[in-house]
Amino acid sequence: MRPSSTAHLYELAWILPSIAIPIGMLVALMVTAFGAGIHVPGDEGRVDPTELATTPPFDQPGIIEVRPGQYEVQMVAEAWSFTPSEIRVPAGSSVTFVATSEDVVHGLFIPRANVNVMLLPGQVTRVTAHFNKPGEYLLVCHEYCGISHHTMAGKVIVEPRS
Ligand code: CUA
C-alpha cells in the first residue's frame, strides 16, 4: 500500500466517528424528547408554592381512588415531612403521585417501586408506580434539604388482596 492511501484511511477513521457521534447524539435527543416525553419543566403544571393551602389538589393532600385499582396521591413535601406520609393501597394497584414542595427542593425516592423524582417548589411532579407485592415500601427524600433531611421519610403500605 502506498503511504498516501494509508493517510487517507487514517483520515477516514477520524472523520467518520466525528460525523456519527453528533448524529447519534441528535437521535438520542429526539428519542428522549419526543419518544419518551422527557423535557424541561414548563409553565404547565406550575403552582405558587406559597399558596398551596388554597391550591387544589394540594389544599387537600391525601389519596383518592380514581378507578378500581388506580389511585392518585396528592402529596406535599416540606422540611421535613411528606403529607400524606403513610399511603395504603391493595396489592396490584397503580399509584400516581402528584407532588410538589412548599419550601425547598426535596426528592421522592421509592427504591422498590422505581420512583425517583425531584420535588421543586411550585413545580408539579407526576410519577406513576405499580405496587404488586404486599409489604411496606419505604419512601424517602433523597435531595439534601437541611438539618433533618435524613428523617424525611414515609411509606407505602401494600395490603394483600382479600
Ligand atoms: Cu427533604 Cu431531604
Side-chain angles (χ1 to χ4, degrees):
M1 207 178 277
R2 289 179 296 118
S4 61
S5 67
T6 313
H8 175 73
L9 283 179
Y10 284 142
E11 240 170 74
L12 255 188
W14 280 108
I15 289 170
L16 286 183
S18 71
I19 295 171
I21 289 171
I23 288 178
M25 287 174 156
L26 191 68
V27 168
L29 189 71
M30 294 293 179
V31 167
T32 50
F34 300 108
I38 294 171
H39 47 80
V40 294
D43 275 343
E44 192 193 348
R46 188 165 282 178
V47 289
D48 182 348
T50 62
E51 301 287 333
L52 288 188
T54 53
T55 307
F58 303 108
D59 53 343
Q60 291 185 317
I63 177 165
I64 53 171
E65 188 171 13
V66 184
R67 60 181 74 91
Q70 271 190 17
Y71 294 86
E72 199 170 281
V73 174
Q74 284 119 16
M75 179 177 265
V76 175
E78 65 188 297
W80 291 279
S81 63
F82 294 101
T83 309
S85 62
E86 194 178 296
I87 295 144
R88 277 177 193 273
V89 291
S93 300
S94 90
V95 180
T96 299
F97 294 87
V98 181
T100 192
S101 163
E102 71 168 44
D103 41 34
V104 296
V105 174
H106 297 281
L108 175 59
F109 182 39
I110 311 177
R112 289 176 57 208
N114 198 24
V115 170
N116 182 340
V117 290
M118 288 173 85
L119 304 178
L120 309 175
Q123 190 71 45
V124 181
T125 298
R126 295 180 72 96
V127 60
T128 300
H130 302 282
F131 296 92
N132 294 323
K133 282 194 177 151
E136 281 193 12
Y137 292 67
L138 186 67
L139 169 167
V140 296
C141 173
H142 65 321
E143 296 284 340
Y144 182 72
C145 56
I147 192 86
S148 293
H149 157 71
H150 60 287
T151 66
M152 187 167 168
K155 57 189 167 185
V156 179
I157 299 166
V158 179
E159 295 169 328
R161 274 192 183 279
S162 48

